[in-house]
Amino acid sequence: GLVPIDQNTLGLSQLMRDADAACYLAKEKGRNRVHLYHYEDSEIAQRHGEIQWIERLEYALDNDRFRLYSQVIEPLQDSSGKHFEILIRMLDENGQIITPNHFLPAAERYNLITKIDQWVVTEVFKLISNNPTFLKSSDSCSINLSGPSLGKPEFLNFVINQFNKFGVQGSKICFEITETAAISNL
């Protein structure tokens, strides 16, 4: 990432943020290249917005600012079973709900997604453990996981430990991943 130092430079910290954003863009575009930062660069502006998410996501993880929601999965044909999907939301500084499409791309890009996936699994298992009738009255509970988490061998060990720790019945849990994640890492 190459950043010119000129009359528009606001200070060392801003210079380093700009260089970091330019460096990430160079990596995204195939590595072994230089990305020259300029002030009207829309890609850099997007990157700065994502970088701001890092602090917000870390704050949310450290201060219990994520929330779980459940959504009933309705079958197209008659079925007596109940199926639920667990969804995540984040609370901003004002208590407003932020949907995952706003924060998950930055979480994946800046390697915070596995921490979020671990939080989700732990909280869902804790909820199930504290409310045993929930799974007894339903056929399954689906939890979305990211491709980067699934690609880490230590994540599997983490999930197995959570099953053991909370005594959750594995046949009732369904882990879901996106088609893109499955195809990119068979």
Side-chain angles (χ1 to χ4, degrees):
L2 181 62
V3 180
I5 300 173
D6 58 20
Q7 69 276 10
N8 295 319
T9 304
L10 298 175
L12 181 60
S13 62
Q14 182 64 45
L15 186 68
M16 295 304 288
R17 279 194 297 272
D18 294 343
D20 187 49
C23 184
Y24 272 104
L25 279 172
K27 287 179 183 178
E28 279 180 15
K29 292 182 176 186
R31 300 184 182 265
N32 291 330
R33 59 173 299 151
V34 173
H35 184 88
L36 176 61
Y37 174 90
H38 59 88
Y39 294 99
E40 290 84 30
D41 191 333
S42 62
E43 290 175 301
I44 293 286
Q46 179 183 351
R47 184 70 59 239
H48 279 308
E50 289 177 352
I51 289 172
Q52 291 174 350
W53 276 108
I54 296 171
E55 290 177 15
R56 294 179 78 184
L57 290 167
E58 288 175 342
Y59 180 84
L61 282 165
D62 293 341
N63 294 283
D64 197 31
R65 304 294 292 179
F66 288 108
R67 297 294 181 265
L68 296 176
Y69 287 74
S70 68
Q71 173 176 296
V72 177
I73 300 172
E74 294 287 344
L76 295 176
Q77 299 176 0
D78 291 337
S79 173
S80 60
K82 290 183 181 177
H83 303 276
F84 297 92
E85 179 178 14
I86 303 298
L87 307 170
I88 187 171
R89 303 290 185 263
M90 188 175 111
L91 294 178
D92 71 8
E93 300 75 20
N94 300 316
Q96 298 297 310
I97 295 173
I98 301 172
T99 56
N101 60 310
H102 289 95
F103 62 85
L104 288 183
E108 286 186 0
R109 183 179 310 275
Y110 296 104
N111 300 317
L112 290 171
I113 193 65
T114 299
K115 286 183 180 180
I116 292 172
D117 284 347
Q118 288 175 333
W119 182 90
V120 170
V121 170
T122 300
E123 293 301 312
V124 170
F125 283 23
K126 193 183 303 180
L127 178 70
I128 290 169
S129 178
N130 292 335
N131 301 284
T133 56
F134 175 73
L135 274 188
K136 286 180 184 172
S137 66
S138 62
D139 288 341
S140 68
C141 177
S142 295
I143 301 171
N144 294 308
L145 295 176
S146 69
S149 294
L150 292 174
K152 295 182 178 184
E154 61 271 14
F155 188 77
L156 174 61
N157 293 331
F158 167 80
V159 171
I160 291 169
N161 288 336
Q162 298 306 298
F163 273 113
N164 293 332
K165 177 180 177 181
F166 291 104
V168 172
Q169 188 179 354
S171 62
K172 297 274 194 161
I173 302 296
C174 175
F175 292 108
E176 292 185 20
I177 59 170
T178 63
E179 294 83 358
T180 306
I183 290 170
S184 66
N185 187 358
L186 293 174

